């Protein structure tokens, strides 16, 4: 029996347990055909070859098993960028764009010429590259302790063609002695080690070291807040992504450390997601 694009999408979306089942099926088929999504609608009656069907079935089986679509197709959109992703890094999420938006709104214009920015735990390089793409006169450094993540971020930098970024291997601040930044941003691990959500959904396939941080999920955030003043220029800012229920704790940590103008912003789902503050002591 001949199978058309339209038929295959209808059948496959019915077996994918996801809120985005139709989109997932379309992205898998685009991967097989090497075509954009618009092609699927313009040529919906096209009959697929046996080889194309076999390839699609392989990818579909992975998605039905719960593997994130981004890992299967090897890419994910973030901000205005199309980034490569691998299982060594977290998948960039739309909620993290809140951090980028807030960073771009900070009162940094007077210092913008040659502004030094640091992205801790950069992963795919998503945050660093998004900021660099919006502010060509910023110099953005992204660090990650996982060499594979650094290599992937460098690959993404080449793909998007940005020259005002660099990526280094470093466990948080360990390789940055003597450096000062007007802006430090991070989406660190912030899930508690025993959180039941770790056994659900896409996170089952993501690196556990990039997800969890101690019994309450705040170990890495504590470390960053304690160490950041050594690397922030006077009047510099620290922005942190965190869990939906961690804003009060993160604010308290920043205030206790001496940060001023501490605030929290909500993500697209109206959950507390980004807390930031200004360092004015040194």
């Amino acid at each position: 029996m001949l199978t058309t694009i339209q038929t295959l999408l209808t059948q496959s979306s019915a077996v994918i347990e996801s809120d985005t089942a139709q989109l997932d099926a379309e992205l898998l088929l685009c991967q097989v055909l090497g075509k954009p999504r618009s092609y699927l609608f313009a040529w919906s009656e096209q009959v697929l070859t046996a080889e194309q069907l076999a390839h699609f079935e392989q990818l579909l089986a992975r998605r039905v098993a719960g593997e994130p679509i981004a890992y299967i197709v090897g890419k994910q959109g973030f901000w205005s960028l199309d980034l490569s992703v691998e299982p060594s890094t977290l998948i960039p999420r739309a909620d993290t764009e809140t951090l980028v938006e807030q960073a771009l709104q900070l009162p940094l214009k007077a210092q913008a010429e040659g502004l030094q920015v640091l992205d801790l735990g950069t992963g795919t390089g998503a945050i660093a590259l998004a900021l660099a793409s919006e502010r060509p006169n910023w110099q953005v450094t992204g660090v990650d302790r996982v060499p594979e993540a650094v290599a992937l971020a460098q690959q993404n930098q080449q793909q998007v063609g940005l020259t005002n970024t660099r990526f280094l291997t470093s466990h948080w601040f360990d390789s940055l002695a003597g450096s000062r930044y007007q802006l430090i941003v991070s989406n660190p691990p912030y899930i508690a080690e025993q959180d039941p959500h770790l056994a659900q959904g896409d996170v089952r396939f993501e690196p556990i070291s990039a997800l969890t941080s101690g019994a309450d999920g705040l170990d890495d955030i504590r470390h960053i807040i304690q160490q950041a003043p050594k690397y922030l220029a006077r009047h510099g800012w620290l922005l942190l992504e965190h869990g939906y229920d961690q804003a009060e704790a993160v604010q308290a940590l920043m205030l206790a450390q001496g940060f001023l103008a501490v605030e929290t912003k909500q993500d697209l789902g109206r959950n507390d997601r980004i807390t930031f503050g200004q360092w004015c002591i040194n």
Side-chain angles (χ1 to χ4, degrees), residues 172-173 184 222-232 257:
W172 302 129
F173 300 100
I184 297 177
R222 288 190 186 92
H223 177 78
I224 292 171
I225 291 173
Q226 290 169 359
Q227 295 299 313
K230 300 176 185 178
Y231 301 90
L232 279 169
Q257 188 64 35

Side-chain angles (χ1 to χ4, degrees), residues 260-274:
L260 304 177
V262 175
E263 293 185 47
T264 295
K265 295 292 184 180
Q266 294 184 328
D267 61 21
L268 300 174
R270 296 185 178 180
N271 295 307
D272 289 340
R273 187 62 63 191
I274 305 297

